[in-house]
Amino acid sequence: MRISYREAMRQALHDALASDPRVFLMGEDVGRYGGTYAVSKGFYDEFGPERIRDTPLSELGFVGAGIGAALGGMRPIVEVMTVNFSLLALDQIVNSAALLRHMSGGQVSVPLVIRMATGAGRQLAAQHSHSLENWYAHIPGIRVLAPATIADARGMLAPALADPDPVVMFEHAQLYNMEGKLPDNWQCDIERAAIRRPGSQLSLITYGGSLPKALDAAAELARDGIDVEVVDLRVLRPLDTETIAESVSRTHRAVIVDEGWRSGSLAAEVMARIVENCFYDLDAPPVRVCSEEVPIPYAKHMEGAALPQPAKIVAAVREVLNV
Amino acid sequence: MNETGGKTKAGTGMPVQPGRPFAHRLLADMLRIRRMEEKCAELYGAQKIRGFLHLYIGEEACATGAMHALDADDNVVATYREHGHALLRGVPMDAIMAEMFGKAAGCSRGRGGSMHLFDAARRFYGGNAIVGGGLPLAVGLALADRMQGIRRVTACFFGEGAVAEGAFHEGMNLAALWRLPVLFLCENNLYAMGTALDRSESQTELCVKAASYKVPTLKVDGMDVLAVHEATRRAAQQVREEGGPFFVEFRTFRFRAHSMFDPELYRDKAEVEEWKKRGPIHSFSAQLKAAGELTEDGFLELDAEAEAEVAAAVAFAEAAPWEPVEDLLRDVTTPGATR
């Protein structure tokens, strides 16, 4: 069956709400409006205003309330409209959700899922185009997910809700309209990276909204006889070092694609782990394709130039392979 | 003075002393906090306790009066000046002292310290060291209770400094908008660290702020333990019966510095001395003596009991073993979930 990423996420949320009375969805315009990205359309009528809870524009307040509700025995799903606004809730996510278990000596857990859209590409300019997944992936105590496929959009929420600790889920805004076949076995773990396209000459490692770009680049390279493996990180914390190292030690080369800015990026962390684990297997220095170090511009051609694109990925792969 | 509300005994978790008049129990609890913290200050000097240590000395009537007005099953969310709240919620003094020492026998396994005392079994959701950080958590705890059909009050303590934070306004609005059973208890000690209230707020009447969110309010003398108890009891009752939030302001004063690093350059010694005359232990025991309900021997007996409890707690903390460094990475995530 072909469905959209949005529909896959909607089905996952519906399952969660229908199967566990402790689950509720809370956030800005999740209810009457139907969700900013229309993911929760129809839920308000089906599950009611208590469980599809519209909030004021109080990111710090309602994320904190989600943490408190999780402490109190519920399984909240808090939707922060976008990662850009999550900065207003950063204190509660970092200082409460991530720390409460440790500060209490293991007495309490925070079984909370925080969903947010991320990324650029729609000419929304600098304040609505951030990719700050790495900020969250830096913090011990939270798990960070980046579903980039129809199956992961359908499958990641259930294990995220089953996790007794806070999970932050990034949904790249460019993916919602993506359509694809929902496989029968869409159930998945939230532990491991996945090889999306097997290949032999180079490991192209990426996540989230950059996955389709990496796959496009790999397809183009294949037409020229260049065989590239595409690795989808899926889980940004904890990183699945094993899958990354296994792939790179086989292909001996790596290019990392990350929509975050280069300095202090997740790509930098992946590269460090490759160097730590596969140094003697490498035939060339790893290379990164990241966003340029500029706030994301409004003008379409400038925005496009700031972000990783298939052409840049292809060029980087050719550089590493020297072909 | 011999009020014996059914809620008070069950609510505190302290050693049950059925024969002791209620007023004596209040006095005894204020003394327990005072003597414990005086010892903490001494142990800080001896470098047994490190980090930040925020003493509650002078403010004991607030936690004592308020805790005696809560039920044992109520949630409590507190601040980084929470030693007294934890103690009166029933966290054993041994476990509090061991936490201050950083020992694994501490109530947060030595991972939290003075600012992060926790006791999940007693629904004490911690010392929170981000000013205002507890308010949204309290809203969420109350929301969880409401959604699960549990009739329980969530008491949220914070200082007047927190009212400058967005978390105060967002939390107050959410609790009022959703009619959640949160009892907001503001301990107004007039100074946010070194900044006086009138130097940081255009509106210094805190009840006005809460009332602007349609939250009912009470303002009470936080140096008077009976007044605190009565106000909290009334407020908690209304929250329990009507479901919505309530805001109580306790006017109080901290006699010691903000923390052990504070040279107290921002306030006059005369102001401190003036407030000390109204010290909650001193004034309440004088009141009881004048009413013929307490003798000097009776006071000394309560004080000696508190001192003995402190001595035992210190001995416990001293003797408790250190957590092995091999355990460093535990309690970051929940066991069973890989990270």
Side-chain angles (χ1 to χ4, degrees):
Chain A
M1 185 179 53
R2 280 185 74 81
I3 60 171
S4 66
Y5 181 98
R6 170 183 294 106
E7 171 62 16
M9 190 57 74
R10 199 195 68 81
Q11 289 181 10
L13 281 166
H14 192 276
D15 270 6
L17 287 156
S19 64
D20 186 344
R22 298 173 304 172
V23 172
F24 68 102
L25 177 65
M26 172 163 65
E28 292 153 355
D29 280 325
V30 298
R32 283 221 176 129
Y33 187 95
T36 310
Y37 296 94
V39 172
S40 52
K41 202 171 170 186
F43 286 8
Y44 187 80
D45 291 334
E46 183 175 357
F47 297 105
E50 285 280 307
R51 295 186 67 205
I52 309 298
R53 183 171 290 271
D54 281 319
T55 65
L57 308 187
S58 304
E59 289 82 3
L60 182 71
F62 69 74
V63 170
I67 296 165
L71 289 173
M74 299 298 285
R75 291 290 181 275
I77 302 169
V78 175
E79 181 176 314
V80 180
M81 199 180 285
T82 75
V83 65
N84 313 289
F85 314 143
S86 80
L87 303 193
L88 294 162
L90 206 52
D91 168 57
Q92 283 292 341
I93 299 172
V94 175
N95 273 319
S96 294
L99 303 187
L100 280 169
R101 178 160 188 89
H102 184 255
M103 291 194 304
S104 68
Q107 291 182 76
V108 301
S109 297
V110 181
L112 169 71
V113 174
I114 302 173
R115 298 173 47 235
M116 59 183 91
T118 185
R122 296 180 304 147
Q123 285 192 264
L124 298 179
Q127 291 182 330
H128 281 69
S129 299
H130 287 303
S131 286
L132 299 173
E133 289 88 329
N134 62 323
W135 286 28
Y136 292 93
H138 183 62
I139 311 294
I142 53 180
R143 183 184 295 271
V144 180
L145 306 179
T149 64
I150 303 294
D152 276 353
R154 181 70 179 89
M156 274 185 159
L157 184 65
L161 280 166
D163 191 318
D165 300 312
V167 176
V168 179
M169 193 180 278
F170 287 97
E171 300 162 20
H172 197 288
Q174 294 284 65
L175 295 175
Y176 285 117
N177 287 331
M178 178 177 76
E179 291 196 351
K181 186 179 180 305
L182 179 66
D184 294 335
N185 57 339
W186 48 262
Q187 289 85 354
C188 64
D189 67 78
I190 49 170
E191 312 287 337
R192 305 302 300 261
I195 294 171
R196 299 300 185 195
R197 177 188 176 113
S200 60
Q201 289 178 268
L202 179 144
S203 299
L204 196 48
I205 301 164
T206 189
Y207 67 93
S210 297
L211 177 63
K213 294 176 180 177
L215 289 168
D216 285 353
E220 186 183 329
L221 289 159
R223 287 194 284 277
D224 293 339
I226 300 168
D227 186 27
V228 164
E229 178 152 299
V230 178
V231 179
D232 174 9
L233 293 173
R234 297 181 71 244
V235 185
L236 308 183
R237 185 183 186 94
L239 275 176
D240 176 9
T241 310
E242 199 182 320
T243 297
I244 297 167
E246 188 281 323
S247 175
V248 175
S249 61
R250 202 159 23 75
T251 63
H252 309 292
R253 292 177 175 85
V255 169
I256 304 112
V257 185
D258 182 354
E259 198 176 306
W261 288 299
R262 177 182 302 259
S263 303
S265 60
L266 263 170
E269 178 62 30
V270 170
M271 192 181 266
R273 293 193 189 205
I274 289 170
V275 171
E276 285 167 349
N277 290 277
C278 314
F279 187 78
Y280 296 105
D281 295 316
L282 287 171
D283 285 345
V287 162
R288 283 180 284 168
V289 180
C290 298
S291 283
E292 301 298 329
E293 306 259 340
V294 60
I296 305 300
Y298 162 69
K300 187 174 176 59
H301 67 297
M302 298 299 268
E303 181 187 43
L307 302 173
Q309 302 294 357
K312 286 190 192 177
I313 300 168
V314 166
V317 170
R318 286 186 175 279
E319 179 197 330
V320 173
L321 287 169
N322 199 21
V323 289
Chain B
M1 290 283 175
N2 283 316
E3 178 185 302
T4 46
K7 291 169 182 177
T8 53
K9 272 180 283 184
T12 60
M14 52 173 194
V16 178
Q17 301 159 317
R20 185 165 273 174
F22 180 60
H24 286 201
R25 298 210 307 273
L26 294 176
L27 183 58
D29 276 344
M30 289 197 287
L31 282 164
R32 291 170 71 218
I33 301 172
R34 176 70 59 94
R35 299 302 176 229
M36 175 176 77
E37 291 209 307
E38 286 170 344
K39 179 57 77 175
C40 287
E42 185 187 321
L43 291 165
Y44 199 91
Q47 304 204 2
K48 293 285 186 182
I49 298 173
R50 298 276 79 195
F52 278 132
L53 180 70
H54 304 97
L55 298 177
Y56 196 56
I57 288 173
E59 304 184 41
E60 294 92 342
C62 300
T64 304
M67 286 298 181
H68 278 267
L70 298 177
D71 282 359
D73 191 44
D74 288 338
N75 296 318
V76 177
V77 176
T79 71
Y80 52 84
R81 200 181 300 284
E82 88 290 26
H83 312 146
H85 308 77
L87 182 69
L88 298 200
R89 202 53 193 162
V91 184
M93 199 186 289
D94 288 0
I96 295 173
M97 197 60 79
E99 187 62 32
M100 305 266 202
F101 275 61
K103 300 289 183 77
C107 59
S108 302
R109 292 191 48 82
R111 297 300 181 103
S114 157
M115 300 189 286
H116 305 299
L117 306 175
F118 279 80
D119 192 329
R122 293 180 172 88
R123 313 194 74 79
F124 187 77
Y125 290 102
N128 195 317
I130 302 297
V131 172
L135 281 95
L137 299 181
V139 168
L141 284 160
L143 176 62
D145 286 337
R146 233 268 303 283
M147 293 185 79
Q148 294 170 104
I150 299 167
R151 287 181 71 82
R152 181 191 284 144
V153 170
T154 296
C156 180
F157 290 89
F158 53 96
E160 89 291 346
V163 307
E165 295 283 359
F168 168 84
H169 298 274
E170 296 186 16
M172 203 63 57
N173 181 53
L174 288 175
L177 182 71
W178 294 341
R179 302 281 309 148
L180 298 176
V182 185
L183 180 52
F184 293 105
L185 301 173
C186 181
E187 300 172 318
N188 179 3
N189 68 14
L190 307 179
Y191 289 90
M193 209 161 108
T195 304
L197 185 60
D198 60 7
R199 293 186 62 232
S200 61
E201 290 292 307
S202 60
Q203 172 55 272
T204 56
E205 282 302 325
L206 306 182
C207 287
V208 172
K209 292 175 189 284
S212 78
Y213 294 101
K214 298 186 178 175
V215 175
T217 67
L218 274 176
K219 179 175 169 177
V220 34
D221 179 2
M223 306 306 270
D224 178 344
V225 68
L226 291 177
V228 169
H229 177 261
E230 178 55 19
T232 311
R233 192 192 60 74
R234 277 173 55 197
Q237 187 179 349
Q238 182 167 331
V239 171
R240 228 177 283 283
E241 286 171 1
E242 298 179 15
F246 206 110
F247 175 91
V248 187
E249 177 189 352
F250 306 133
R251 278 274 174 159
T252 185
F253 202 80
R254 104 179 115 64
F255 294 170
R256 298 286 184 104
H258 166 74
S259 74
M260 307 308 275
F261 299 106
D262 169 13
E264 279 190 275
L265 303 174
Y266 49 84
R267 62 184 190 185
D268 284 342
K269 288 206 160 52
E271 185 188 14
V272 180
E273 290 311 310
E274 203 53 39
W275 275 91
K276 278 185 178 172
K277 288 179 192 163
R278 303 188 50 230
I281 294 173
H282 157 75
S283 61
F284 189 50
S285 51
Q287 191 184 340
L288 292 176
K289 284 176 187 168
E293 294 180 17
L294 180 74
T295 61
E296 180 60 17
D297 282 351
F299 177 86
L300 292 173
E301 189 186 325
L302 298 179
D303 202 21
E305 279 178 23
E307 293 279 18
E309 188 181 3
V310 172
V314 173
F316 174 84
E318 285 276 12
W322 296 104
E323 184 178 18
V325 171
E326 293 71 40
D327 287 351
L328 178 64
L329 297 183
R330 67 171 281 170
D331 295 333
V332 178
T333 55
T334 305
T338 59
R339 216 19 75 123

